[in-house]
Amino acid sequence: MKITKHIIIRILAIAIPLLLLYFYSEMAFEANRQREHRTDAGLGIAFLLVFVLIILMVGFITDSIVRIYKKQYSIALINVPFLLLFLIPVLYISCLFSREAFYCQCFS
C-alpha cells in the first residue's frame, strides 16, 4: 500500500501540471483563432511544455537523491521510469534547438 501511494502521488504530480497546460493551450488557441492577425501561440505552448517537463524532471531527480540519502531505495526506484519518460522529449527538443552543433547526434 505504501508503494502504491507513492506511485499515485507521482502520477498526480505529473498529470495536474500537464492538464493545466492542456486547458491553457486550448484557451490560447481559441483566442488566437478569433484574432484578425494570428500569432504563433503553438511556439509559446511548446516552450511552456519544455519548462514544465524540465521542472518536473528536476523535481524527480531531487526526490530521488533525497530518497537515496534516506535509504528508501524502493521509493527511489519508482522515480526511474518517470525520469526516463521526461528525458525523451527534453532531449529531442534540445536536439532540435541545437541542430547545427550536434547534427550527428540528432534523431533526423
mmCIF file of all heavy atoms in Angstrom, residues 55-69 79 83:
data_model
loop_
_atom_site.group_PDB
_atom_site.id
_atom_site.type_symbol
_atom_site.label_atom_id
_atom_site.label_comp_id
_atom_site.label_asym_id
_atom_site.label_seq_id
_atom_site.Cartn_x
_atom_site.Cartn_y
_atom_site.Cartn_z
ATOM 1 N N ILE A 55 11.107 21.312 -15.118
ATOM 2 C CA ILE A 55 10.832 21.482 -13.686
ATOM 3 C C ILE A 55 10.459 20.136 -13.052
ATOM 4 O O ILE A 55 10.939 19.792 -11.965
ATOM 5 C CB ILE A 55 9.711 22.518 -13.462
ATOM 6 C CG1 ILE A 55 10.182 23.896 -13.890
ATOM 7 C CG2 ILE A 55 9.239 22.528 -12.019
ATOM 8 C CD1 ILE A 55 11.333 24.443 -13.102
ATOM 9 N N LEU A 56 9.618 19.358 -13.730
ATOM 10 C CA LEU A 56 9.249 18.045 -13.205
ATOM 11 C C LEU A 56 10.460 17.117 -13.130
ATOM 12 O O LEU A 56 10.621 16.363 -12.158
ATOM 13 C CB LEU A 56 8.146 17.422 -14.058
ATOM 14 C CG LEU A 56 6.748 18.000 -13.889
ATOM 15 C CD1 LEU A 56 5.806 17.430 -14.938
ATOM 16 C CD2 LEU A 56 6.218 17.726 -12.504
ATOM 17 N N MET A 57 11.317 17.178 -14.143
ATOM 18 C CA MET A 57 12.496 16.317 -14.148
ATOM 19 C C MET A 57 13.441 16.690 -13.006
ATOM 20 O O MET A 57 13.957 15.812 -12.314
ATOM 21 C CB MET A 57 13.214 16.418 -15.493
ATOM 22 C CG MET A 57 14.269 15.370 -15.675
ATOM 23 S SD MET A 57 14.907 15.263 -17.337
ATOM 24 C CE MET A 57 15.797 16.776 -17.481
ATOM 25 N N VAL A 58 13.647 17.983 -12.773
ATOM 26 C CA VAL A 58 14.500 18.423 -11.670
ATOM 27 C C VAL A 58 13.884 18.004 -10.333
ATOM 28 O O VAL A 58 14.592 17.564 -9.422
ATOM 29 C CB VAL A 58 14.736 19.946 -11.740
ATOM 30 C CG1 VAL A 58 15.363 20.470 -10.462
ATOM 31 C CG2 VAL A 58 15.605 20.291 -12.927
ATOM 32 N N GLY A 59 12.570 18.110 -10.226
ATOM 33 C CA GLY A 59 11.897 17.687 -9.002
ATOM 34 C C GLY A 59 12.045 16.201 -8.742
ATOM 35 O O GLY A 59 12.290 15.778 -7.599
ATOM 36 N N PHE A 60 11.913 15.387 -9.788
ATOM 37 C CA PHE A 60 12.065 13.949 -9.616
ATOM 38 C C PHE A 60 13.509 13.561 -9.311
ATOM 39 O O PHE A 60 13.759 12.636 -8.543
ATOM 40 C CB PHE A 60 11.556 13.208 -10.852
ATOM 41 C CG PHE A 60 10.088 12.933 -10.818
ATOM 42 C CD1 PHE A 60 9.192 13.838 -11.350
ATOM 43 C CD2 PHE A 60 9.589 11.785 -10.247
ATOM 44 C CE1 PHE A 60 7.838 13.602 -11.312
ATOM 45 C CE2 PHE A 60 8.238 11.529 -10.205
ATOM 46 C CZ PHE A 60 7.357 12.443 -10.740
ATOM 47 N N ILE A 61 14.465 14.260 -9.911
ATOM 48 C CA ILE A 61 15.867 13.985 -9.602
ATOM 49 C C ILE A 61 16.169 14.342 -8.150
ATOM 50 O O ILE A 61 16.832 13.586 -7.428
ATOM 51 C CB ILE A 61 16.801 14.746 -10.573
ATOM 52 C CG1 ILE A 61 16.714 14.125 -11.968
ATOM 53 C CG2 ILE A 61 18.243 14.740 -10.079
ATOM 54 C CD1 ILE A 61 17.427 14.909 -13.039
ATOM 55 N N THR A 62 15.653 15.485 -7.718
ATOM 56 C CA THR A 62 15.850 15.896 -6.319
ATOM 57 C C THR A 62 15.207 14.902 -5.365
ATOM 58 O O THR A 62 15.802 14.534 -4.342
ATOM 59 C CB THR A 62 15.262 17.304 -6.101
ATOM 60 O OG1 THR A 62 15.838 18.204 -7.041
ATOM 61 C CG2 THR A 62 15.513 17.791 -4.695
ATOM 62 N N ASP A 63 13.994 14.457 -5.699
ATOM 63 C CA ASP A 63 13.320 13.470 -4.853
ATOM 64 C C ASP A 63 14.098 12.159 -4.809
ATOM 65 O O ASP A 63 14.194 11.533 -3.758
ATOM 66 C CB ASP A 63 11.898 13.238 -5.357
ATOM 67 C CG ASP A 63 11.130 12.296 -4.454
ATOM 68 O OD1 ASP A 63 11.026 12.584 -3.239
ATOM 69 O OD2 ASP A 63 10.628 11.264 -4.961
ATOM 70 N N SER A 64 14.656 11.764 -5.938
ATOM 71 C CA SER A 64 15.454 10.527 -5.964
ATOM 72 C C SER A 64 16.687 10.650 -5.075
ATOM 73 O O SER A 64 17.025 9.717 -4.339
ATOM 74 C CB SER A 64 15.883 10.205 -7.387
ATOM 75 O OG SER A 64 14.779 9.906 -8.180
ATOM 76 N N ILE A 65 17.349 11.796 -5.142
ATOM 77 C CA ILE A 65 18.541 11.996 -4.312
ATOM 78 C C ILE A 65 18.182 11.980 -2.834
ATOM 79 O O ILE A 65 18.875 11.363 -2.021
ATOM 80 C CB ILE A 65 19.255 13.305 -4.718
ATOM 81 C CG1 ILE A 65 19.857 13.155 -6.112
ATOM 82 C CG2 ILE A 65 20.328 13.678 -3.711
ATOM 83 C CD1 ILE A 65 20.379 14.439 -6.697
ATOM 84 N N VAL A 66 17.075 12.634 -2.492
ATOM 85 C CA VAL A 66 16.641 12.647 -1.086
ATOM 86 C C VAL A 66 16.275 11.244 -0.623
ATOM 87 O O VAL A 66 16.626 10.825 0.485
ATOM 88 C CB VAL A 66 15.458 13.629 -0.905
ATOM 89 C CG1 VAL A 66 14.794 13.454 0.451
ATOM 90 C CG2 VAL A 66 15.926 15.053 -1.092
ATOM 91 N N ARG A 67 15.560 10.487 -1.463
ATOM 92 C CA ARG A 67 15.171 9.117 -1.083
ATOM 93 C C ARG A 67 16.382 8.211 -0.947
ATOM 94 O O ARG A 67 16.419 7.350 -0.063
ATOM 95 C CB ARG A 67 14.200 8.536 -2.118
ATOM 96 C CG ARG A 67 12.914 9.284 -2.255
ATOM 97 C CD ARG A 67 12.105 9.221 -1.010
ATOM 98 N NE ARG A 67 10.898 10.025 -1.205
ATOM 99 C CZ ARG A 67 9.884 10.036 -0.393
ATOM 100 N NH1 ARG A 67 9.902 9.295 0.691
ATOM 101 N NH2 ARG A 67 8.844 10.798 -0.622
ATOM 102 N N ILE A 68 17.378 8.367 -1.808
ATOM 103 C CA ILE A 68 18.590 7.560 -1.685
ATOM 104 C C ILE A 68 19.358 7.940 -0.427
ATOM 105 O O ILE A 68 19.887 7.077 0.281
ATOM 106 C CB ILE A 68 19.465 7.701 -2.950
ATOM 107 C CG1 ILE A 68 18.767 7.015 -4.128
ATOM 108 C CG2 ILE A 68 20.857 7.133 -2.739
ATOM 109 C CD1 ILE A 68 19.420 7.261 -5.463
ATOM 110 N N TYR A 69 19.400 9.239 -0.132
ATOM 111 C CA TYR A 69 20.080 9.695 1.084
ATOM 112 C C TYR A 69 19.403 9.143 2.338
ATOM 113 O O TYR A 69 20.073 8.800 3.312
ATOM 114 C CB TYR A 69 20.102 11.220 1.112
ATOM 115 C CG TYR A 69 20.795 11.800 2.318
ATOM 116 C CD1 TYR A 69 22.181 11.738 2.431
ATOM 117 C CD2 TYR A 69 20.066 12.393 3.331
ATOM 118 C CE1 TYR A 69 22.821 12.266 3.538
ATOM 119 C CE2 TYR A 69 20.694 12.923 4.444
ATOM 120 C CZ TYR A 69 22.073 12.863 4.540
ATOM 121 O OH TYR A 69 22.699 13.378 5.643
ATOM 122 N N ASN A 79 10.940 6.531 -9.201
ATOM 123 C CA ASN A 79 11.200 7.720 -9.997
ATOM 124 C C ASN A 79 11.877 7.421 -11.334
ATOM 125 O O ASN A 79 11.799 8.230 -12.254
ATOM 126 C CB ASN A 79 12.062 8.701 -9.208
ATOM 127 C CG ASN A 79 11.317 9.296 -8.038
ATOM 128 O OD1 ASN A 79 10.095 9.334 -8.022
ATOM 129 N ND2 ASN A 79 12.063 9.742 -7.046
ATOM 130 N N LEU A 83 11.477 9.504 -14.834
ATOM 131 C CA LEU A 83 12.615 10.271 -15.345
ATOM 132 C C LEU A 83 12.944 9.889 -16.786
ATOM 133 O O LEU A 83 13.291 10.747 -17.596
ATOM 134 C CB LEU A 83 13.833 10.067 -14.446
ATOM 135 C CG LEU A 83 13.791 10.799 -13.113
ATOM 136 C CD1 LEU A 83 14.930 10.346 -12.224
ATOM 137 C CD2 LEU A 83 13.845 12.285 -13.337
#
